[in-house]
Amino acid sequence: MNYSELIKDKKVAIVGPAQYMFSSRMGEEIDNHDVVVRLNRGIELTKEFFVDLGKKTDILYSCLIEKAANAGKLNARELKEEYKVKYICTPTESTFEGIATQTKFHYLINKKTVKEINKTIPIRIIDHNFHNNLAKKIQCRPNTGFISIYDILRYHPQRLSIYGFSFYLDGFYPGCKKGINSEQGLSEEQFGQNCLDSKRHIQKNMWLFAKNTLLNNKQVVLDPVLKEILELEVFNKELYDEKKK
């Protein structure tokens, strides 16, 4: 099965790692979709937190960089036999601004690991022309979760349901960045704040583009919190925190 066949006319759920998914009990709803998509280390959370996040993973969008801050440790057997991943998609290597000259793996990816995974799970690099076009629209480098939404939509799912995206306004689901303290000397909360403040992946720009393209998109279903986030008048953490009270 090629990638298009996996997505076209299917009911697809994509699950981000936002903290607000904690105690959401949305797991069963997520798993009831034809296809479930997860991001980077979000797949690890399904072992313990399936009541909130579900168990199923058909597609993994991963940067494939084996650091706690990124994709975590990757194991070909675990991905195939335990998680039962059918397809892996990864962003192309690009500049700080998100511009790529060709479609290729990021230079920090372990080629030996990729080769081992690719024996049983197809790995697809998102083409650089699509990546560049999106980067120019948001005037920054899109992160893995953001680009995955628009990459999936171009393969015409019947419906795309989006869960667990906050543009880092409320940080990560607990445990999503386990090991970040020993790697960077940061707590998960501190790392989440750094992601919010990133000059490379400018969250305000991605939020504004999503607001303009997803809110009234009949092909897209937003979880209630994400809908509220995209309905904010301005991208502001204090405003978001105030609305949560």
Side-chain angles (χ1 to χ4, degrees), residues 62-104:
S62 173
C63 65
L64 299 176
I65 298 170
E66 295 184 90
K67 294 183 178 182
N70 304 109
K73 188 66 178 173
L74 298 168
N75 180 284
R77 185 201 59 78
E78 183 179 46
L79 288 168
K80 180 65 176 181
E81 297 179 13
E82 295 185 32
Y83 293 120
K84 303 187 186 307
V85 175
K86 297 174 184 173
Y87 235 102
I88 294 175
C89 303
T90 190
T92 185
E93 181 178 291
S94 64
T95 64
F96 186 92
E97 295 79 15
I99 303 303
T101 56
Q102 58 183 303
T103 301
K104 65 177 182 177

Side-chain angles (χ1 to χ4, degrees), residues 9-124:
D9 298 326
K10 302 295 196 308
K11 295 175 183 177
V12 180
I14 181 168
V15 188
Q19 189 178 56
Y20 70 73
M21 292 295 289
F22 191 74
S23 298
S24 67
R25 304 187 70 84
M26 288 184 172
E28 185 176 355
E29 177 182 322
I30 289 167
D31 282 346
N32 279 335
H33 288 75
D34 300 323
V35 177
V36 178
V37 181
R38 300 191 190 274
L39 311 171
N40 282 318
R41 298 189 65 187
I43 195 171
E44 298 173 26
L45 300 173
T46 61
K47 288 186 176 181
E48 185 176 355
F49 302 108
F50 53 86
V51 172
D52 292 338
L53 304 171
K55 295 180 180 179
K56 183 177 171 182
T57 304
D58 298 293
I59 300 170
L60 177 65
Y61 274 78
S62 173
C63 65
L64 299 176
I65 298 170
E66 295 184 90
K67 294 183 178 182
N70 304 109
K73 188 66 178 173
L74 298 168
N75 180 284
R77 185 201 59 78
E78 183 179 46
L79 288 168
K80 180 65 176 181
E81 297 179 13
E82 295 185 32
Y83 293 120
K84 303 187 186 307
V85 175
K86 297 174 184 173
Y87 235 102
I88 294 175
C89 303
T90 190
T92 185
E93 181 178 291
S94 64
T95 64
F96 186 92
E97 295 79 15
I99 303 303
T101 56
Q102 58 183 303
T103 301
K104 65 177 182 177
F105 287 116
H106 194 282
Y107 74 95
L108 290 176
I109 289 174
N110 185 321
K111 293 181 180 178
K112 183 179 178 181
T113 300
V114 167
K115 186 177 180 180
E116 188 63 28
I117 293 171
N118 208 24
K119 288 178 182 178
T120 57
I121 305 172
I123 300 176
R124 166 183 165 266

Side-chain angles (χ1 to χ4, degrees), residues 169-170 225 229 236-244:
L169 287 175
D170 74 344
V225 179
I229 288 171
N236 181 277
K237 182 170 173 54
E238 287 72 28
L239 179 60
Y240 169 72
D241 289 340
E242 184 64 31
K243 281 189 172 289
K244 282 198 304 182

